[in-house]
């Protein structure tokens, strides 16, 4: 769950695939907003997971992969599916009922900040440095700037913003859980991710009928947005991201995180006509700068780096003590 299975799509240069992935995930917040215009948030999330699971199921069929076995593995995957998919996807969908997609995209960029703060407590090998602590502080200054704290958060929907921030917090909690429980599961990453999305779909399939009614009509445009969100933003994007990790390494592949809020903001303003005050882009830049600093780690010895990079490119699973284990990529 924490490394990439070696899907190598060399038909396109990795830079083009990197750009495509940035666009797909950046537009996801716009698609969520459009989807909620015709369907309830839980329905948007269920559709997203359903289409995403279908894409991964097709990939598993092509590669002749099987779902993982073992009650312990499935139990941990159930928790991972909730923390990394069902909960944050639902929270973002509910948040965008009352906040613009631009703000949701920027809140998503705080995930590395939460992750750094939590890892200092939960992961004994993740030692703090002055640079990372400074990045954490800078990042949260950026959050306050985005929210306009000096104005008393005037005009801001507190509930929707809190939901978006909670969704961003859920990702690193799930990542830490996966790292501590599934790092040595021994199954392929494609099968693990497919199982995780399947479990997330089942969770939403149980919850959605309890809290929503069937729509009186099936709005076409929101439905297409949900289908695109699931098949491209959740299914295909994961396969592309895993291929990038296998080819260029986790550190480079994870740089896509810093392009997502930029694209989400541009899409929200240009296509949805959302308003944008000066504090939003300024705060977003500060958030991204802080998030980048929190990812700066002590360098490993040259020999160790070579061995670890070689294992990453073979799709091997790192131990908890190895530097730079990639974040769980099924979270987006």
């Amino acid at each position: 769950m924490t490394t990439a299975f070696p899907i190598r799509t060399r038909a396109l240069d990795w830079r083009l695939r990197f750009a495509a992935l940035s666009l797909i995930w950046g537009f996801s917040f716009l698609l969520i907003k459009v989807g909620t215009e015709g369907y309830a948030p839980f329905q948007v999330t269920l559709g997203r997971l359903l289409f995403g699971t279908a894409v991964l199921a097709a990939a598993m069929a092509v590669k002749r992969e099987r779902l993982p076995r073992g009650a312990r593995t499935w139990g941990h995957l159930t928790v991972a599916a909730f923390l990394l998919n069902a909960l944050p996807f639902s929270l973002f969908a509910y948040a965008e009922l009352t906040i613009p997609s631009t703000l949701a995209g920027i809140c998503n960029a705080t995930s590395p900040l939460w992750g750094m703060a939590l890892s200092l407590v939960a992961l004994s090998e993740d030692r703090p440095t002055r640079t990372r602590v400074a990045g954490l502080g800078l990042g949260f200054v950026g959050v306050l700037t985005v929210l306009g704290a000096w104005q008393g958060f005037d005009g801001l929907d507190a509930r929707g913003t809190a939901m978006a921030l909670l969704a961003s917090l859920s990702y690193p909690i799930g990542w830490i859980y996966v790292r501590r429980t599934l790092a040595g599961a021994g199954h392929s990453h494609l099968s693990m991710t497919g199982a995780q999305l399947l479990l997330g779909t089942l969770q939403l399939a149980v919850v959605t009928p309890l809290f929503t009614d069937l729509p009186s009509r099936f709005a076409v445009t929101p439905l297409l947005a949900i289908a695109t969100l699931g098949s491209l933003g959740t299914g295909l994007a994961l396969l592309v991201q895993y291929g990038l990790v296998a080819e260029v390494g986790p550190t480079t592949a994870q740089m896509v995180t810093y392009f997502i809020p930029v694209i989400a903001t541009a899409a929200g303003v240009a296509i949805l006509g959302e308003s944008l005050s000066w504090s939003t882009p300024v705060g977003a830049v500060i958030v991204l700068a802080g998030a980048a600093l929190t990812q700066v780690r002590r360098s490993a010895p040259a020999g160790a780096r070579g061995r670890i990079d070689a294992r990453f490119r073979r799709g091997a699973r790192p131990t908890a003590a190895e530097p730079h284990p990639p974040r769980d990529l099924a979270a987006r």
Side-chain angles (χ1 to χ4, degrees), residues 5-65:
F5 56 82
I7 290 180
R8 298 181 182 274
T9 51
R10 295 186 182 277
L12 288 176
D13 183 82
W14 73 266
R15 296 170 186 82
L16 295 177
R17 285 179 279 129
F18 183 96
L21 186 61
S22 301
L23 287 172
I24 290 171
W25 273 341
F27 271 85
S28 292
F29 297 94
L30 180 149
L31 294 172
I32 293 172
K33 173 69 78 173
V34 175
T36 57
E37 292 176 355
Y39 300 92
F42 277 141
Q43 293 169 346
V44 172
T45 304
L46 174 59
R48 175 181 187 175
L49 286 169
L50 185 63
F51 283 104
T53 301
V55 171
L56 288 187
M60 289 177 64
V62 170
K63 293 181 66 67
R64 297 183 179 180
E65 293 272 2

Side-chain angles (χ1 to χ4, degrees), residues 112-113 116 131-132 135-136 258 289-297 327:
L113 303 177
M116 187 268 182
T131 300
R132 299 182 71 198
L136 184 64
Y258 306 113
L293 289 176
T294 64
Q295 304 307 299
V296 176
R297 300 168 186 261
R327 306 272 191 232

Side-chain angles (χ1 to χ4, degrees), residues 188-201:
S188 79
H189 308 288
L190 175 56
S191 67
M192 294 282 277
T193 304
Q196 179 181 309
L197 288 187
L198 174 62
L199 288 167
T201 303

Side-chain angles (χ1 to χ4, degrees), residues 35-308:
T36 57
E37 292 176 355
Y39 300 92
F42 277 141
Q43 293 169 346
V44 172
T45 304
L46 174 59
R48 175 181 187 175
L49 286 169
L50 185 63
F51 283 104
T53 301
V55 171
L56 288 187
M60 289 177 64
V62 170
K63 293 181 66 67
R64 297 183 179 180
E65 293 272 2
R66 294 183 178 181
L67 291 172
R69 298 179 180 179
R72 176 185 175 276
T73 298
W74 280 90
H76 289 314
L77 283 173
T78 299
V79 178
F82 175 75
L83 292 173
L84 292 170
N85 303 117
L87 178 61
F89 290 179
S90 298
L91 286 172
F92 272 124
Y94 270 102
E96 291 199 41
L97 292 177
T98 55
I99 67 172
S101 64
T102 55
L103 179 55
I106 293 171
C107 287
N108 180 75
T110 65
S111 191
L113 303 177
W114 298 119
M116 187 268 182
L118 290 171
S119 67
L120 297 180
V121 177
L123 300 175
S124 58
E125 76 276 6
D126 220 352
R127 301 298 183 185
T129 64
R130 291 181 180 179
T131 300
R132 299 182 71 198
V133 172
L136 184 64
L138 182 65
F140 284 110
V141 168
V143 172
L144 294 176
T145 303
V146 170
L147 302 182
W150 64 91
Q151 298 175 335
F153 308 108
D154 184 44
L156 186 72
D157 183 80
R159 183 179 178 183
T161 304
M163 285 183 175
L165 291 173
L166 183 59
S168 302
L169 172 61
S170 182
Y171 289 137
I173 293 175
W175 164 69
I176 291 172
Y177 179 85
V178 166
R179 182 170 168 179
R180 293 173 71 96
T181 61
L182 290 169
H187 301 284
S188 79
H189 308 288
L190 175 56
S191 67
M192 294 282 277
T193 304
Q196 179 181 309
L197 288 187
L198 174 62
L199 288 167
T201 303
L202 294 176
Q203 290 169 3
L204 263 295
V206 172
V207 171
T208 300
L210 299 178
F211 294 94
T212 65
D213 297 322
L214 285 174
S216 57
R217 66 184 186 89
F218 289 91
V220 176
T221 300
L223 183 59
L224 291 175
I226 295 170
T228 304
L229 177 65
S231 58
L232 296 184
T234 303
L236 180 62
L238 290 179
L239 299 180
V240 173
Q241 174 72 317
Y242 284 134
L244 286 173
V245 172
E247 183 173 341
V248 300
T251 302
T252 300
Q254 287 169 27
M255 291 298 292
V256 71
T257 301
Y258 306 113
F259 291 87
I260 292 173
V262 177
I263 295 171
T265 299
V269 173
I271 299 176
L272 298 180
E274 295 176 345
S275 60
L276 189 68
S277 64
W278 68 268
S279 61
T280 300
V282 170
V285 170
I286 298 174
V287 167
L288 294 176
L293 289 176
T294 64
Q295 304 307 299
V296 176
R297 300 168 186 261
R298 293 187 180 94
S299 298
R305 283 200 303 270
R307 291 192 300 273
I308 293 165

